[in-house]
Amino acid sequence: MQTETLLYIILAGIIALSLALFQYFTNRKSMSKLNMLFSFLRFLSVFAVLLLIINPSFNQVKTSIEKPNLVVALDNSCSIEHLKQDSNVKDFIEKLNSNKEIQEKFNLSVYTFGKGLNPLDSISFSETQTNISKTFQQLAEVYKSSTSPTLIITDGNQTYGNDYQFSYRNYKQPIFPIILGDTITYTDLKIQQFNVNKYAFLKNKFPVEAILVYNGNQTVNSNFIVKNGNATVFSKAVNFSKADNSKVINFTLPANRVGVNNYIATLVPLENEKNKVNNNKNFAVEVINQKTKIALVTNMLHPDIGVIKKSIESNEQRSVSILNSSNVINQINDFQLFIIYQPNKNFKDLYGILVSKNLNKFVIIGPKTDLNFINQVAQNYSHDVTEQTEYYIGELNINYSPFIIEDLDFESFPPLISNYGEVNFTVPFQSILNKSVGGFSTNLPLLATFETNGRREAVLFGENLWQWRAQSYLNEKSFQAFDNFFGKITQYLSSNKQKSRLNIDYESFYNGSSNIVIKAEYFDKNYVFDSRESLNITIIDKATDVKKTFPLILKNNNYQVDLSSLPPSEYSFVVSTSKENLSRSGSFQILKFDVEQQFLNADVTKLQQLATNSGGSSYFIDDAEKIFEDLLEDKRFLPIQKSSKNTIPLIDWKYLLAIMALSLGLEWFLRKYNGLI
């Protein structure tokens, strides 16, 4: 409390006392016990009022003991059960929960992880993928500034994601791996990896690469066999030794039948092999009888050219040829789609041919485009000519109806540079993306499509698509999302199928360990996205004729259903609406493959290195008592006493108001009782 405030309080006390004495002690006759009581009550009342006016502040210090956290991350993948460590894990969790010393010293938080991190609900060992790197990333968001030693109970076998041996470094906590498994080396043959294209073309041969691995000390012989149904389409004898423990087999297979062709590769197991699951691997190739050929026509050099070609050709069904405006004239009939990048007057002949043949095209207009030429040759739209440019962010139109568009978080993408001015369409059009400046939508199209006279066309009003693909990689750690987005535009423009109110998006086949998600869009009669409809999907297993029906859940701008729980088999399906008689059908296949069953041992070396680098220690699951002892004795994990200081004004002290009310009330009552009022 400041000296000035203290002086004010003393002065208030003198004033209150003086006023009380002045009112009740005017002469010697008034020196009675009753008047002395009245004076005291009046002093309290006046002094309380003056204190409220001064309103001094007081410091309140609170102390608390903060215990360190003990974070337990439990591997819930099916590889734990495959290695027969599930009972050991459950026993360890029971010992942990029953250890009173651990409970007293730490705040215990237990999680499970597989594809992601979740609070412990139940231990099922049913996760089909393991991403330890993502586990550390999510823990780092929660335990940034606290003392939180971490026990990670796992076999150390990660099926996808960044290498956790390096990516853990953003998690500034000591890590104590509890290793599930042993260090015994078993003799094992396995198919490590298969590299094969997703698509092949009819009457062609497609390449296949198989990587075979041997773990053992003896020289062994085996056979590598590939079958399509009951027919053997490839076989080769292979031999391994301790020094020569891997083989790369390259071969080609014929594509003789249109559709999804399923194959099973087998590396014939040895007699004494413990794990024979990893000796087989299923793969599939979709054979198509037509390849979409696309002409990318430009008279300039720009990074967008390479990005467009790369994105489109990420799908093996499509090929892109880069041509200039004169060379393409003699090859018009060779292509199903024409992408015209920033045209000028040199494109006049090409535009004339495309209009006369009523061919589909995708026009990209940027600052280097001749807008006067565009306004002359474009029949369905025109662009204001201002000689100025602007940077525009893309804003997704959720009501876009021709096909399903995923939100790639376009608003996080760098802006495209575009010509300033309005675009005027003379035909109905739909925007995939609208222009946005400074967070405000302009309601002007950035990327739009339209259909007229049986012809489809798309227009992008912006340059620097290469920056979008790069940002998509930063967001997703993969180019796939952006390439799929561009591929859907290409697929739409390459086809002239009639627009549908119910669209579905799915793959022809899925690997057994991947997510199996089917998406659908439903539009009303005006082709506006309708979120009020209820969609259902009926799945039929072709092998058993078992029929199952699932509801599709509305998520963002589409309906989705997750079918990851279905066992490997061939399926047909029908997606139907409940209010209107609309339905779409299709089929897909789930290949048999469990990546979690490919492991024989725990990755002891990597887990021990993780412990050393993070300042922790590694243990095997049988050393539970040693783990608890070390945690209890570690001086780094002691409780911390924390103090907090709060400044509280006197006006917040409710008892002062009660004292003031009590003294005034009691004084009035006593004076009334004694006939002084």
Side-chain angles (χ1 to χ4, degrees):
M1 185 182 299
Q2 296 180 355
T3 304
E4 183 181 357
T5 305
L6 185 60
L7 291 174
Y8 280 137
I9 293 174
I10 295 172
L11 182 60
I14 295 172
I15 292 172
L17 183 61
S18 300
L19 184 62
L21 292 176
F22 175 77
Q23 289 181 328
Y24 286 102
F25 292 91
T26 56
N27 52 56
R28 290 188 176 182
K29 293 181 179 180
S30 61
M31 296 292 290
S32 64
K33 292 183 178 180
L34 190 60
N35 278 351
M36 290 178 67
L37 178 59
F38 288 155
S39 298
F40 175 71
L41 293 174
R42 180 59 58 90
F43 166 76
L44 284 180
S45 301
V46 176
F47 186 60
V49 171
L50 292 176
L51 280 180
L52 288 175
I53 294 173
I54 297 170
N55 192 26
S57 298
F58 300 91
N59 292 327
Q60 184 183 49
V61 178
K62 291 184 178 180
T63 59
S64 61
I65 301 297
E66 183 177 285
K67 296 194 295 184
N69 300 307
L70 180 60
V71 180
V72 181
L74 167 64
D75 191 340
N76 198 34
S77 64
C78 54
S79 66
I80 304 302
E81 195 170 38
H82 178 63
L83 294 175
K84 299 180 180 178
Q85 295 292 326
D86 48 323
S87 59
N88 290 335
V89 172
K90 293 177 181 178
D91 290 342
F92 178 84
I93 294 298
E94 287 182 10
K95 291 178 182 178
L96 181 65
N97 289 328
S98 61
N99 192 304
K100 293 182 179 179
E101 291 180 291
I102 291 288
Q103 300 287 342
E104 289 175 2
K105 182 174 181 178
F106 296 98
N107 293 318
L108 188 62
S109 299
V110 185
Y111 302 88
T112 61
F113 67 88
K115 295 178 182 178
L117 187 71
N118 300 292
L120 177 64
D121 181 21
S122 61
I123 306 174
S124 60
F125 303 110
S126 59
E127 293 272 1
T128 57
Q129 296 271 22
T130 307
N131 190 343
I132 301 175
S133 174
K134 187 176 181 181
T135 299
F136 290 133
Q137 178 184 343
Q138 292 178 297
L139 287 174
E141 296 174 359
V142 180
Y143 301 98
K144 283 184 179 179
S145 56
S146 60
T147 302
S148 306
T150 301
L151 304 182
I152 179 165
I153 308 171
T154 180
D155 57 9
N157 295 314
Q158 179 172 270
T159 58
Y160 77 106
N162 297 326
D163 191 336
Y164 64 85
Q165 190 175 356
F166 304 100
S167 61
Y168 82 93
R169 292 178 181 176
N170 291 327
Y171 186 51
K172 308 296 184 182
Q173 305 290 347
I175 301 170
F176 298 83
I178 298 174
I179 304 170
L180 303 175
D182 52 47
T183 57
I184 299 174
T185 301
Y186 298 97
T187 300
D188 184 53
L189 285 174
K190 72 174 179 178
I191 301 175
Q192 178 72 26
Q193 187 173 330
F194 243 100
N195 298 318
V196 61
N197 292 330
K198 193 173 183 179
Y199 302 98
F201 299 99
L202 186 65
K203 297 181 181 179
N204 285 347
K205 290 187 175 182
F206 59 91
V208 182
E209 182 180 68
I211 302 175
L212 314 178
V213 175
Y214 167 65
N215 187 21
N217 298 319
Q218 305 297 321
T219 299
V220 297
N221 299 309
S222 182
N223 285 299
F224 176 67
I225 301 170
V226 179
K227 289 187 175 183
N228 183 357
N230 295 322
T232 299
V233 294
F234 178 82
S235 66
K236 184 176 181 179
V238 290
N239 55 76
F240 299 91
S241 64
K242 183 178 181 179
D244 185 15
N245 59 2
S246 66
K247 300 286 183 183
V248 178
I249 310 295
N250 290 286
F251 56 98
T252 59
L253 296 176
N256 296 325
R257 181 175 62 85
V258 174
V260 178
N261 289 263
N262 300 292
Y263 301 86
I264 180 168
T266 301
L267 183 58
V268 178
L270 305 174
E271 292 183 4
N272 58 341
E273 270 197 71
K274 181 178 179 180
N275 184 8
K276 298 182 180 180
V277 175
N278 57 15
N279 291 69
N280 299 300
K281 185 162 286 191
N282 292 275
F283 67 97
V285 174
E286 184 174 359
V287 177
I288 53 180
N289 60 3
Q290 185 179 4
K291 187 170 187 174
T292 302
K293 299 180 69 176
I294 299 162
L296 176 51
V297 188
T298 181
N299 288 350
M300 61 182 292
L301 297 176
H302 195 280
D304 285 355
I305 305 301
V307 161
I308 293 170
K309 178 177 173 67
K310 193 74 174 177
S311 290
I312 294 175
E313 290 187 342
S314 65
N315 187 328
E316 294 291 333
Q317 299 181 64
R318 307 183 183 109
S319 66
V320 177
S321 299
I322 301 175
L323 303 167
N324 62 39
S325 58
S326 57
N327 291 341
V328 73
I329 299 298
N330 297 325
Q331 305 177 50
I332 290 292
N333 295 326
D334 295 339
F335 301 101
Q336 288 79 51
L337 174 64
F338 296 84
I339 300 177
I340 303 174
Y341 189 81
Q342 304 218 43
N344 53 34
K345 61 182 180 181
N346 296 323
F347 287 69
K348 184 176 181 180
D349 292 342
L350 173 61
Y351 262 87
I353 295 174
L354 295 180
V355 170
S356 65
K357 291 181 174 292
N358 204 36
L359 298 176
N360 296 350
K361 60 180 177 288
F362 183 5
V363 182
I364 299 176
I365 296 174
K368 301 175 184 64
T369 303
D370 186 343
L371 293 181
N372 290 313
F373 169 74
I374 287 293
N375 292 338
Q376 291 175 7
V377 298
Q379 299 174 322
N380 306 116
Y381 59 91
S382 61
H383 197 298
D384 291 347
V385 181
T386 62
E387 303 298 335
Q388 297 181 23
T389 60
E390 181 63 88
Y391 287 92
Y392 294 104
I393 296 289
E395 182 182 59
L396 182 66
N397 173 25
I398 63 171
N399 287 322
Y400 183 77
S401 64
F403 54 89
I404 295 176
I405 289 291
E406 291 290 327
D407 188 356
L408 307 185
D409 194 13
F410 290 102
E411 295 184 7
S412 72
F413 285 12
L416 299 184
I417 185 170
S418 178
N419 297 288
Y420 182 78
E422 291 192 14
V423 181
N424 300 301
F425 281 88
T426 59
V427 295
F429 73 97
Q430 290 200 50
S431 293
I432 299 176
L433 299 171
N434 288 321
K435 293 179 178 179
S436 174
V437 179
F440 297 96
S441 177
T442 63
N443 291 322
L444 296 175
L446 180 63
L447 174 59
T449 63
F450 57 89
E451 300 181 30
T452 176
N453 299 324
R455 174 175 56 84
R456 290 179 172 177
E457 186 170 341
V459 189
L460 173 65
F461 299 96
E463 177 187 290
N464 289 339
L465 273 174
W466 67 271
Q467 295 183 2
W468 278 18
R469 192 169 188 258
Q471 185 63 48
S472 177
Y473 181 85
L474 293 177
N475 292 349
E476 304 290 336
K477 308 303 180 188
S478 168
F479 293 115
Q480 184 176 355
F482 180 84
D483 292 346
N484 287 344
F485 164 72
F486 213 86
K488 287 182 178 181
I489 298 174
T490 305
Q491 182 178 1
Y492 167 75
L493 294 174
S494 302
S495 170
N496 287 313
K497 292 181 180 178
Q498 188 176 1
K499 185 165 59 175
S500 171
R501 290 173 54 197
L502 179 61
N503 300 317
I504 53 176
D505 184 18
Y506 68 99
E507 300 288 340
S508 299
F509 59 89
Y510 301 88
N511 286 319
S513 297
S514 62
N515 287 335
I516 303 167
V517 178
I518 294 180
K519 301 176 183 178
E521 278 185 330
Y522 172 75
F523 300 91
D524 62 21
K525 293 181 179 179
N526 294 321
Y527 288 95
V528 175
F529 181 75
D530 190 346
S531 61
R532 299 168 298 176
E533 182 60 272
S534 296
L535 301 183
N536 294 299
I537 182 170
T538 301
I539 306 287
I540 302 174
D541 189 332
K542 293 183 178 180
T544 62
D545 288 330
V546 173
K547 183 184 295 185
K548 296 181 180 179
T549 300
F550 303 93
L552 276 76
I553 307 301
L554 181 64
K555 185 176 181 181
N556 298 327
N557 61 328
N558 56 56
Y559 295 86
Q560 298 183 8
V561 61
D562 190 339
L563 302 175
S564 302
S565 61
L566 293 178
S569 186
E570 292 187 48
Y571 296 91
S572 62
F573 69 89
V574 177
V575 176
S576 57
T577 61
S578 60
K579 297 178 182 177
E580 296 200 34
N581 189 23
L582 292 176
S583 64
R584 293 288 299 275
S585 61
S587 62
F588 63 89
Q589 183 169 359
I590 302 175
L591 304 180
K592 185 177 182 180
F593 177 69
D594 189 346
V595 68
E596 293 286 344
Q597 293 187 8
Q598 306 302 305
F599 307 106
L600 274 173
N601 303 92
D603 197 336
V604 177
T605 303
K606 187 176 287 188
L607 290 173
Q608 289 176 338
Q609 190 67 39
L610 173 66
T612 302
N613 293 340
S614 66
S617 302
S618 61
Y619 306 85
F620 286 93
I621 189 66
D622 298 330
D623 299 333
E625 299 302 326
K626 182 72 169 75
I627 300 168
F628 300 150
E629 288 176 10
D630 290 351
L631 287 172
L632 292 171
E633 294 174 1
D634 199 319
K635 300 301 182 183
R636 293 176 295 174
F637 314 135
L638 296 175
I640 300 172
Q641 179 175 306
K642 289 191 173 182
S643 61
S644 60
K645 184 169 115 176
N646 294 327
T647 300
I648 303 174
L650 185 65
I651 198 169
D652 290 341
W653 196 53
K654 299 177 182 178
Y655 295 107
L656 184 62
L657 182 62
I659 291 171
M660 186 171 62
L662 180 62
S663 61
L664 286 172
L666 188 59
E667 181 185 358
W668 178 87
F669 176 78
L670 291 174
R671 285 173 61 86
K672 183 75 173 176
Y673 181 79
N674 289 278
L676 299 176
I677 297 179

